Amino acid sequence: TVLQREAPVTISGTAAAGAAVDVQLEGEVRRVTADAAGKWQAGFAPLAAKTGLQLSATSGKVTVAAKGLAAGDVFLCSG
């Protein structure tokens, strides 16, 4: 997975309604709360180009993690 470098990063997901979610990206942590529909969103500062990034989201005893992410240029092409 590649995140666009030098642009704000938004991570979103779902959890139990009203649940606290700790989202961690490269050592920065954001604590957010899921809305009535269970949706949450956390914002992070822009990242410089880099590989080997780690992301995790924890709510209660459940953690979802992703390793090996990258920040770089994202291109969409069609033809």
Side-chain angles (χ1 to χ4, degrees), residues 27-68:
E28 288 190 47
V29 178
R30 302 287 185 269
R31 175 165 275 200
V32 296
T33 303
D35 65 17
K39 296 179 181 179
W40 57 263
Q41 193 172 65
F44 291 88
L47 298 167
K50 185 176 181 181
T51 60
L53 302 173
Q54 295 185 20
L55 168 69
S56 67
T58 302
S59 183
K61 295 181 180 181
V62 177
T63 298
V64 176
K67 299 178 184 178

